[in-house]
Structure formats: structure tokens, C-alpha cells
Amino acid sequence: MLTLQQIKENPQHIIERLAVKGFDANEPIGKVLDLDNRRRELQLSNDTKAAELKQYAAKIGALMKQGEKEEAEAAKATVATLKESQKTIADELARTEADIRDILLTIPNIPCAMVPEGRTAEDNVVEKTGGPMPELPADAMPHWDLAKKYNLIDFDLGVKITGAGFPVYIGKGARLQRALIQFFLDEAGKAGYLEIQPPYVVNEASGYGTGQLPDKEGQMYYVGEDNLYLIPTAEVPVTNIYRDVILSEDSLPKKNCAYSACFRREAGSYGKDVRGLNRLHQFDKVEIVRIEKPENSYAALEEMKDHVQGLLEKLGLPWHILRLCGGDMSFTSAITFDFEVYSAAQGRWLEVSSVSNFETYQANRLKCRYRAADKKTQLCHTLNGSALALPRIMAALLENNQTPQGIVVPECLRKYTGFDIID
């Protein structure tokens, strides 16, 4: 979340920048500033009462030593009144601080200066394009038909076992899926990311720490009896490793990667775009997460983009990078770049990765800080990216590599699959 200091220093700038995200911040910012004024008044009153109580404690001690019992008892009665008054003030102070935090949790992150204005995905900016466009036979099939033809994925069986959006991978389909996971993890390891195997469920504090709560609770699967949430991405447990942690400056950056299953309700999704692997409730993904000093985070963001681009190039897929406009960005992000691959059989671009810098927004929620050389603590910057999400990668690989002889496996995956072609 935004810090109170950020808001107090330049509230009008924050209001103007949040308008780029389509968020009217006038009312919440005004309420925060009013509550902060009241908070400071209450804090002063509380401090004053505490000082008076300290004086009376010394006075009572002196009176008792002097044998002035009657005056001491009168002073004790005054102390009791002061304590009751201080409790009332302290209770209001605590409520006011909680009210400030509750409002701060509803205010999105400020988009950085590079974020273009716009309201929908049509306003996103294509920043870079690469990869060979495939030449497919006239009878090219979409991946859901290829999956059935070659017995790679059974969508109907997933419906039987669980419901729509939970496919069952079979035989070479399962091996190709596992090959992609191992390839992505190995490439992340070569790039210096330490692998983490995180839990797939998190507590409420973790959800608040990375910003899924209270913004996206409707999209998360909830285990009510235990008050736990199934993770929508490994970003959540991995970033929360650093919740309530003060890192040493020389330990930065922290670079982690993690494979996990991801669970999303995808409420409101319907139509042709949800066919096959295009939109699932459970899917696999390898995530990269970085904790950085603020002055290094944008260089780290470029490194992460280069890493994702390199994966797509090795897979031989046509890709482009989108710089998201303000209206298409997430609640927590300061800037986001989406990677999409072209699905030739469907004739459309499929999102396979989002790479984002959150600046101090998540770190402030997490209390993720580092101690600088001057011994002062500062908030870190957090970043993450998909490297990569598997379903649409799998869809594009099947569709773009289909031939009359079968589906050709990219060279970089063959040592993992043990086969060159699916026939």
C-alpha cells in the first residue's frame, strides 16, 4: 500500500497519477489526510497524559516519603481519572490508525511515469515483437482438437473428476507439460534464481501482504474451515518469505523462482476465449520474484523482461511485449509488461507472462525492509514475473508446431521429453 508519508508529501500528485488507472482518489485521500490530522491530535493528547501521569507518580512517591498520606491519596484519585482519560484517548487513537490503514488498503499503487494512459487492453502499447510466424497446413487444428487427436489432454475427464477448467494431461501431454516446467526452472537457475518449493495454500496475512486481499478475494479459492486461500500464483508465498524481515544491504538482491500449481476462480469468464487451455481454474506456472534496492529495481525489471523473452525465443514462438496502459494494470503494480504468443490456429495472441515492478507498494504491506550503510531501514522494491505460465504456451506449441507427420517438439525440450515428435 502507499505510505502515509507519500500521501502527505504530495496528495495532488497521487490523485492525478491514480486517475491514469481510472481510480478517483479524491475522497479516500481526503479522508486519510483528515484522519491523520486527528491522529496527530490524539497522539499529542496521549503523550501529554502520559507525561502528567509520570509527574504524578513521582509526586505520590515523594508525598508518601514525607508522610503526607492525605495529599498522596488525593493525588492517586487524580491519577485514576487521568488513566481513564488516557485510555479513552488511546482507544480512539487505535481506532483512527486502523481506519487509516483500512482506507490505505483500498487505494491502488501509483502508476509510474512510463505507464501510458488508456482504459482497456486496446490502449496497451506494443513495445517489441519477435519470433517466427508459423506456416500451417490448410487443415490446421486448434489445440483442443490436437489434444484429442493425439490423446494429450482430456478436458471431459477433468470435468468428470472436478469440473470445467481442470484438465487431465495424459501420456506425452503430461511429459511435455513436465518438460516445460523443468526447462523453465533450469533456465531460471542459470539466471541466478534460487529455487523455492512453496506451500500451495496461504493464510490471510500473506494474501494482504502481496495485495490479493482485499482486492481479489472473489477470484481466490477459500478454505473456510481453516481460513486459508489456495494460491493464485507462487508470487504470494515466495514474496511473503520476506514479510516482517529486515534484510542486510549486502544481501540484496534476492532472486527466487518457484514452480507451483495455481488456482483461480476466473469468475465472470465465458465465451470462446475460455476454450481448451485458454483459461483454466488450475494451471502450472514457474514464477520469478526479486527483492531489490529501489535504485536498482528498474534495471532488474529489464533483466526479467530479457529472461522471459529468451525463453520464448528458445521455444521458437512468435511473441510481442505489451506495456500496459493505466486502465489495464493490476491494483498493486507500478508498471506491467505482458508477453503474448501468437496462436496461429486460433488466429489470436495469448498472454503467457506478466512482468511487474511494484516499487514499495507490496513492501510497505509486507514490512519488507533493508538496513542501509547508515543503519537506517528503508522499504525494498518487489518485482515478479511469469517465466512462464504453461497452459497457453502448451496451446501455442501444439498449434504452431503441427505438421502432417505430427507435432514437432522444440529442440530445447527434447532432452526432457525423450521424444522429438508427437505422432
Side-chain angles (χ1 to χ4, degrees):
M1 63 187 172
L2 300 179
T3 67
L4 188 54
Q5 191 61 34
Q6 281 177 291
I7 293 173
K8 288 163 67 175
E9 284 176 354
N10 200 338
Q12 192 56 41
H13 171 71
I14 290 174
I15 290 168
E16 290 170 2
R17 290 307 299 160
L18 285 175
V20 174
K21 277 192 170 181
F23 183 84
D24 184 355
N26 282 282
E27 184 177 347
I29 294 295
K31 284 182 178 178
V32 165
L33 293 174
D34 289 344
L35 285 167
D36 184 58
N37 287 332
R38 180 58 180 158
R39 180 194 64 79
R40 285 185 283 132
E41 291 172 359
L42 290 165
Q43 187 65 63
L44 179 60
S45 296
N46 191 59
D47 292 345
T48 300
K49 296 292 183 188
E52 289 182 51
L53 284 167
K54 188 175 180 180
Q55 290 173 353
Y56 267 96
K59 181 179 179 180
I60 291 168
L63 289 170
M64 293 296 287
K65 283 184 181 179
Q66 295 166 11
E68 302 288 345
K69 292 186 179 181
E70 189 173 330
E71 289 84 347
E73 290 302 317
K76 287 179 181 179
T78 302
V79 164
T81 302
L82 280 172
K83 283 184 176 179
E84 189 62 35
S85 176
Q86 186 190 36
K87 183 180 183 306
T88 300
I89 293 167
D91 288 346
E92 186 181 350
L93 177 60
R95 286 195 302 272
T96 302
E97 289 173 338
D99 289 344
I100 291 172
R101 178 174 173 79
D102 287 345
I103 296 173
L104 288 175
L105 286 171
T106 69
I107 301 173
N109 197 4
I110 309 165
C112 81
M114 292 187 290
V115 173
E117 293 190 7
R119 287 290 174 266
T120 68
E122 284 68 37
D123 299 313
N124 295 334
V125 176
V126 178
E127 190 167 89
K128 196 174 181 182
T129 301
M133 280 291 184
E135 296 182 7
L136 297 187
D139 59 349
M141 299 180 184
H143 69 270
W144 49 85
D145 288 337
L146 291 167
K148 186 172 184 178
K149 176 181 178 180
Y150 293 103
N151 194 29
L152 304 175
I153 306 166
D154 194 324
F155 296 100
D156 293 334
L157 187 56
V159 172
K160 173 186 175 181
I161 296 169
T162 307
F166 296 88
V168 175
Y169 296 84
I170 298 168
K172 288 186 176 181
R175 289 183 67 178
L176 182 57
Q177 179 87 343
R178 181 157 45 88
L180 282 165
I181 294 166
Q182 192 61 59
F183 170 63
F184 294 151
L185 285 172
D186 285 352
E187 292 297 302
K190 292 175 188 176
Y193 290 89
L194 176 68
E195 185 177 349
I196 302 291
Q197 190 174 67
Y200 289 0
V201 292
V202 293
N203 56 30
E204 196 171 60
S206 293
Y208 274 95
T210 44
Q212 277 67 36
L213 300 176
D215 181 50
K216 294 185 178 68
E217 61 266 51
Q219 294 293 341
M220 296 173 73
Y221 284 98
Y222 178 58
V223 185
E225 185 174 344
D226 301 302
N227 195 29
L228 296 172
Y229 294 84
L230 275 67
I231 61 170
T233 164
E235 166 204 348
V236 182
V238 174
T239 310
N240 270 278
I241 290 171
Y242 304 99
R243 174 157 48 91
D244 297 321
V245 171
I246 299 176
L247 299 162
S248 61
E249 185 173 11
D250 59 8
S251 73
L252 295 174
K254 295 291 187 183
K255 298 172 63 175
N256 296 132
C257 67
Y259 155 72
S260 77
C262 303
F263 304 88
R264 299 183 186 180
R265 294 183 61 241
E266 297 289 2
S269 298
Y270 60 92
K272 64 182 178 63
D273 290 349
V274 304
R275 193 94 186 262
L277 296 171
N278 287 347
R279 194 173 296 275
L280 302 177
H281 295 304
Q282 178 184 321
F283 61 94
D284 293 321
K285 181 155 67 80
V286 172
E287 190 81 358
I288 52 175
V289 173
R290 292 178 71 145
I291 312 294
E292 295 277 350
K293 292 172 63 177
E295 60 266 32
N296 298 336
S297 71
Y298 277 88
L301 181 66
E302 291 304 310
E303 287 182 20
M304 294 169 75
K305 288 165 59 184
D306 289 345
H307 178 73
V308 174
Q309 178 182 319
L311 296 176
L312 297 175
E313 288 175 343
K314 288 177 181 178
L315 289 170
L317 293 171
W319 55 268
H320 66 202
I321 306 173
L322 301 175
R323 180 155 41 102
L324 299 195
C325 70
D328 201 32
M329 286 171 61
S330 75
F331 185 88
T332 52
S333 173
I335 188 167
T336 295
F337 295 89
D338 274 4
F339 285 74
E340 295 183 335
V341 296
Y342 190 69
S343 168
Q346 297 181 64
R348 58 191 292 260
W349 290 92
L350 305 173
E351 180 196 331
V352 294
S353 174
S354 285
V355 181
S356 301
N357 189 345
F358 303 94
E359 297 188 357
T360 60
Y361 192 85
Q362 285 184 333
N364 188 37
R365 288 173 173 243
L366 294 159
K367 302 268 189 296
C368 173
R369 295 159 289 173
Y370 73 97
R371 195 178 303 281
D374 60 6
K375 305 301 181 185
K376 293 181 180 178
T377 59
Q378 298 181 41
L379 289 170
C380 299
H381 278 196
T382 65
L383 305 92
N384 69 31
S386 312
L388 286 157
L390 272 76
R392 294 169 190 163
I393 290 288
M394 175 78 89
L397 285 178
L398 296 180
E399 292 176 2
N400 294 3
N401 293 325
Q402 59 184 297
T403 71
Q405 292 73 40
I407 300 167
V408 178
V409 175
E411 179 68 34
C412 63
L413 298 178
R414 292 176 187 176
K415 68 177 182 180
Y416 302 109
T417 60
F419 51 82
D420 302 346
I421 193 165
I422 298 171
D423 54 18

